Amino acid sequence: MTVDADRLVGEIEALAQISDTPYPSVTRVLFTGPDMRGRDWMVERCEAEGLDVRFDAVGNLFARWEGAEPELAAVATGSHTDAIPNAGRFDGVVGVLGGLEAIRSLKASGLTPRRSIELIVFTAEEPTRFGIGCVGSRIMSGQLDPGRAAGLTDADGVTLEEARLAAGYAGALSLVRPAVGHYRAFVELHIEQGPLLERDGVQIGVVTAIAAPATLRVDLTGPGGHAGAVLMVDRADPMVAAAELVSAVDEVARGSGGPDTVATCGLVDVFPGAVNSIPREVRLSIDVRDTDGARRDRVVDAIRAKGRDAATRRGVGHRDELLNADPPATCAPEIVAQIEAVCTEQGVVAQRMISRAYHDSLFMAQICPTGMIFIPCRGGVSHRPDEFASPEDIARGAAVLAGTLAKLAA
């Protein structure tokens, strides 16, 4: 098998040009112009390789290489091409284009797989538009009810149902979930988004578990008023309560007793948002993750209690909502073993590791045995324009993926 590294890196660079922001920054938000053009671009490349392309009702893209026994459960790979505002060009894309290149290399080797191999480009892995990540794979796995999915609303009041129909994806969302047994296995190639592989001089990370994410939204409200006219003694300022809660998020996570617990308040919306106006409404979006689901839930409960306490202390209104609390995923031991065997065959240095970022694999693990292959990224930087993975590491990851798919589809 031979991976064409120049072609693969060239396609990553070409897709990076389809963006709402100038290169090397990448912005492709769900169902916007760049996202749709990126989808069309992917379809062209998949069809050029003779793959059968289809979309489901939420816009997940499937490109299928038919196996010798198409009635058998398929082996799948893939990731996502949507990108948060001002992101990098490798997150998700390495798994999509690396998956396509893996299929090309297998075809060029003369392999006829027994099982069909599908490349999946998942819809909305990033939560940018509708506030919840992995929309496509969540619905596929049954972790997101189709009715709830249809009613998700963006900042402009547009529902997911309206947006996907306007983008041309018709059909019932209830049909997105594949039939039981449709997939034999799923393997995702991804940049690590952390510094461990680079720091330790390891070429491939073999993921054994994926941390469980939870997203909490907290709304704090007060009467507001003029910043100069309302005396401090008369204030009930939701921003002050919010500041206390942000500090508490960090405190609770650090005190969880587990090294894998992380919590982040990455989004604060303030209304009316004027320097000379006391805020009337503050919304916090809080992300909590852990490899231990029960410990993660205890941290979420503690943060919710801290929010209520801060609101009471500051005399402001309080409401919170748990948007999602997903279970952790364990990668299938047989797939972990297959990836390690391929690394040994290819002379690649590999080590087992945990994914603390979550991916579509978290939800595919609810459908079929799942594994993940990590490649190093410079400095562990991700979700930034300076995100970088070397051509050598990308090609190596695609080669390991190709070998793994060959074994699983045999």
Side-chain angles (χ1 to χ4, degrees):
M1 289 181 296
T2 301
V3 168
D4 189 332
D6 291 339
R7 176 174 58 191
L8 175 52
V9 172
E11 288 184 334
I12 291 172
E13 294 297 316
L15 184 53
Q17 303 295 329
I18 305 175
S19 170
D20 259 336
T21 48
Y23 179 93
S25 171
V26 176
T27 302
R28 281 191 297 268
V29 177
L30 177 64
F31 298 149
T32 61
D35 180 48
M36 299 305 293
R37 292 195 298 275
R39 290 162 179 262
D40 292 341
W41 186 91
M42 277 302 308
V43 168
E44 290 175 3
R45 273 138 193 85
C46 291
E47 290 181 340
E49 297 304 322
L51 307 182
D52 294 325
V53 176
R54 68 177 178 88
F55 287 92
D56 66 15
V58 78
N60 290 317
L61 184 160
F62 304 86
R64 184 180 177 93
W65 178 20
E66 198 85 316
E69 300 181 42
E71 71 280 3
L72 295 178
V75 172
T77 188
S79 196
H80 65 99
T81 58
D82 66 311
I84 67 169
N86 296 295
R89 59 197 186 276
F90 300 96
D91 176 17
V93 171
V94 163
V96 170
L97 291 175
L100 179 58
E101 187 59 34
I103 291 173
R104 286 170 172 152
S105 71
L106 293 176
K107 293 181 75 174
S109 74
L111 174 75
T112 300
R114 181 172 175 236
R115 298 178 184 273
S116 299
I117 298 178
E118 284 192 358
L119 174 66
I120 308 176
V121 185
F122 294 99
T123 285
E125 194 269 355
E126 303 292 3
T128 309
R129 183 165 183 183
F130 289 100
I132 186 170
C134 298
V135 170
S137 55
R138 280 181 193 272
I139 301 176
M140 285 181 66
S141 67
Q143 297 296 307
L144 178 58
D145 177 77
R148 184 188 170 209
L152 293 172
T153 305
D154 69 10
D156 296 319
V158 178
T159 65
L160 177 64
E161 180 75 358
E162 293 167 336
R164 62 111 181 176
L165 292 174
Y169 301 113
L173 290 178
S174 60
L175 299 178
V176 168
R177 193 169 186 182
V180 174
H182 179 78
Y183 291 113
R184 166 65 185 88
F186 176 79
V187 185
E188 183 173 6
L189 173 65
H190 208 282
I191 59 172
E192 182 194 351
Q193 297 181 288
L196 301 183
L197 293 175
E198 181 186 57
R199 186 188 67 192
D200 296 341
V202 175
Q203 296 169 318
I204 290 290
V206 184
V207 176
T208 58
I210 306 170
T215 305
L216 178 66
R217 179 185 291 163
V218 181
D219 292 314
L220 301 164
T221 56
H226 193 285
V230 181
L231 298 177
M232 301 306 290
V233 70
D234 297 323
R235 296 191 182 198
D237 188 340
M239 179 59 96
V240 179
E244 292 185 5
L245 180 54
V246 170
S247 180
V249 167
D250 184 83
E251 174 189 335
V252 171
R254 290 178 185 274
S256 74
D260 293 328
T261 309
V262 292
T264 308
C265 182
L267 185 62
V268 180
D269 291 321
V270 182
F271 180 83
V275 67
N276 61 343
S277 179
I278 301 167
R280 297 202 300 274
E281 301 172 12
V282 180
R283 168 170 286 182
L284 306 178
S285 295
I286 300 167
D287 180 296
V288 184
R289 308 184 190 200
D290 204 324
T291 53
D292 183 322
R295 186 171 58 209
R296 186 273 318 274
D297 291 343
R298 291 193 296 271
V299 169
V300 170
D301 290 343
I303 290 171
R304 297 179 90 165
K306 292 284 188 179
R308 291 190 295 269
D309 291 346
T312 299
R313 191 159 47 249
R314 295 295 174 175
V316 300
H318 171 275
R319 178 179 177 273
D320 66 33
E321 179 183 5
L322 189 61
L323 300 181
N324 66 278
D326 303 304
T330 300
C331 292
E334 65 269 27
I335 297 182
V336 170
Q338 293 279 32
I339 296 169
E340 290 179 324
V342 171
C343 288
T344 298
E345 291 167 6
Q346 296 185 4
V348 172
V349 178
Q351 72 176 24
R352 295 188 177 192
M353 64 190 306
I354 290 169
S355 174
R356 289 174 174 82
Y358 74 94
H359 308 276
D360 291 299
S361 289
L362 182 75
F363 301 98
M364 290 301 290
Q366 308 297 317
I367 297 174
C368 64
T370 294
M372 287 197 77
I373 299 166
F374 275 175
I375 63 170
C377 57
R378 186 172 60 195
V381 168
S382 186
H383 283 189
R384 285 174 18 187
D386 56 338
E387 175 182 272
F388 181 78
S390 74
E392 296 78 15
D393 285 329
I394 295 169
R396 185 181 296 111
V400 171
L401 175 62
T404 304
L405 294 177
K407 287 180 179 295
L408 294 171

